[in-house]
């Protein structure tokens, strides 16, 4: 899987299409911290919604695509507009340690012991089809590989856009605070930070992922992502885990 060969360039938004302005747009992959970022900005005094526009902006994985919206969001909120209708003063990319992100993505998007007609699959299927269409991905017989490709390519898709700041969700509190101060935002004096596990869903640990399915190309891409954003390499962490050393 060569990301650069598969991934197209994000379509540019025509300025004449934008009819509303917001301060903040936070983008990331599903299960990588957009909800937490929304609540974090709210704790600092900015009304940033999660997957729905609020007064000061929105944090949403699907807004990485300017012109389309997933089917489920349109059914829940028929009045929602595509990102192309808004101008954002600042665009932020939130990233997460791949090894923990993939466990969350895989186990929550492929719940075990759940029948196919269970309501949880409605969101999963719509989300997968949306990401597959935007990224030119094809359904894979191995769901874990789809999760890996989606993670790598969605983040790459965001990187190609006009990003003002990239934040590691693990260090978001201080990075967001310093960024807001540098941009002269009015910050609330009484700040109560959101719980770190605000959107946590119980699932097995990353050591239970089918890592043996990964080919050399995908592992290399994951390690490059880790190097770029300052995370321990996935290959190294897996090696230490299988050797019985603490990671």
């Amino acid at each position: 899987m060569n990301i650069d060969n598969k991934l197209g360039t994000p379509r540019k938004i025509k300025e004449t299409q934008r009819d509303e302005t917001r301060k903040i747009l936070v983008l990331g992959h599903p299960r990588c911290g957009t909800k937490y970022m929304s609540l974090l900005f709210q704790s600092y005094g900015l009304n940033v919604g999660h997957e729905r526009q609020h007064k000061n902006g929105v944090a949403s994985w699907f807004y990485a695509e300017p012109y389309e919206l997933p089917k489920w969001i349109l059914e829940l909120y028929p009045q929602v507009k595509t990102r192309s209708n808004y101008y954002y003063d600042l665009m932020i990319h939130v990233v997460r340690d791949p090894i923990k992100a993939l466990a969350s993505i895989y186990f929550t998007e492929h719940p075990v012991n759940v029948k196919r007609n269970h309501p949880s699959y409605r969101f999963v299927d719509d989300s997968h089809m949306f990401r597959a269409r935007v990224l030119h991905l094809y359904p894979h017989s191995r769901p874990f590989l789809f999760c890996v490709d989606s993670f790598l390519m969605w983040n790459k898709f965001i990187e190609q856009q006009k990003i003002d700041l990239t934040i590691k969700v693990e260090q978001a509190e201080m990075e967001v605070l310093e960024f807001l101060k540098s941009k002269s935002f009015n910050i609330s004096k009484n700040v109560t930070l959101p719980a770190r596990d605000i959107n946590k869903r119980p699932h097995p640990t990353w050591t239970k992922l089918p890592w043996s399915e990964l080919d050399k190309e995908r592992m290399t891409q994951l390690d490059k992502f880790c190097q770029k954003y300052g995370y321990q390499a996935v290959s190294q962490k897996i090696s230490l885990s299988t050797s019985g050393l603490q990671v």
Side-chain angles (χ1 to χ4, degrees):
M1 181 204 66
N2 189 308
I3 293 179
D4 295 322
N5 288 344
K6 286 180 68 68
L7 189 58
T9 302
R11 291 171 289 175
K12 293 183 179 180
I13 302 174
K14 297 178 182 179
E15 296 298 328
T16 54
Q17 292 178 304
R18 301 178 177 184
D19 53 18
E20 295 186 51
T21 299
R22 297 289 188 274
K23 294 183 182 295
I24 301 289
L25 173 63
V26 181
L27 304 173
H29 190 277
R31 307 301 306 157
C32 289
T34 52
K35 183 169 185 177
Y36 180 76
M37 292 292 289
S38 164
L39 296 174
L40 183 60
F41 274 105
Q42 290 176 32
S43 73
Y44 288 136
L46 278 86
N47 190 0
V48 174
H50 178 238
E51 298 183 348
R52 295 175 66 189
Q53 292 288 345
H54 284 198
K55 179 181 178 180
N56 296 132
V58 65
S60 169
W61 67 267
F62 55 75
Y63 262 36
E65 162 53 44
Y67 291 101
E68 298 182 51
L69 292 167
K71 181 180 177 181
W72 65 268
I73 195 73
L74 290 169
E75 291 179 354
L76 285 174
Y77 309 110
Q79 303 303 317
V80 69
K81 298 179 181 179
T82 64
R83 174 181 141 197
S84 60
N85 288 275
Y86 300 89
Y87 175 83
Y88 296 92
D89 294 331
L90 299 167
M91 287 178 57
I92 296 171
H93 181 194
V94 59
V95 296
R96 186 182 181 189
D97 186 347
I99 210 156
K100 293 184 178 180
L102 287 171
S104 181
I105 296 164
Y106 178 73
F107 289 119
T108 59
E109 292 192 349
H110 299 87
V112 295
N113 299 322
V114 175
K115 294 182 179 180
R116 190 66 189 174
N117 61 357
H118 191 279
S120 66
Y121 273 108
R122 181 185 179 190
F123 165 79
V124 170
D125 283 344
D126 284 352
S127 175
H128 283 186
M129 287 189 290
F130 181 77
R131 279 140 57 192
R133 184 169 64 252
V134 172
L135 300 174
H136 309 296
L137 282 173
Y138 297 97
H140 206 289
S141 59
R142 296 180 178 178
F144 180 55
L145 296 186
F146 177 88
C147 292
V148 172
D149 292 351
S150 174
F151 175 84
L152 289 168
M153 295 177 68
W154 199 259
N155 278 293
K156 185 71 172 180
F157 187 63
I158 295 170
E159 290 171 357
Q160 292 178 344
Q161 304 182 44
K162 284 186 174 182
I163 299 300
D164 297 287
L165 177 69
T166 299
I167 290 177
K168 296 167 67 171
V169 69
E170 298 87 355
Q171 303 172 0
E173 296 88 350
M174 187 56 65
E175 290 189 19
V176 168
L177 180 60
E178 293 302 318
F179 181 71
L180 293 177
K181 287 181 177 179
S182 72
K183 297 296 182 180
S184 301
F185 280 96
N186 293 323
I187 300 171
S188 298
K189 293 182 179 180
N190 299 316
V191 175
T192 301
L193 296 175
R196 293 289 305 177
D197 60 352
I198 191 68
N199 200 29
K200 184 177 180 179
R201 299 174 192 173
H203 60 74
T205 178
W206 63 268
T207 58
K208 303 299 183 181
L209 288 169
W211 294 110
S212 60
E213 294 182 5
L214 279 189
D215 55 85
K216 184 178 180 180
E217 173 69 18
R218 287 181 171 88
M219 184 65 78
T220 298
Q221 294 291 346
L222 286 172
D223 283 349
K224 285 182 178 179
F225 183 95
C226 291
Q227 182 180 24
K228 182 173 185 176
Y229 294 112
Y231 294 110
Q232 184 180 11
V234 171
S235 60
Q236 182 183 22
K237 205 162 187 178
I238 292 172
S239 177
L240 291 173
S241 175
T242 55
S243 65
L245 298 177
Q246 186 175 0
V247 293

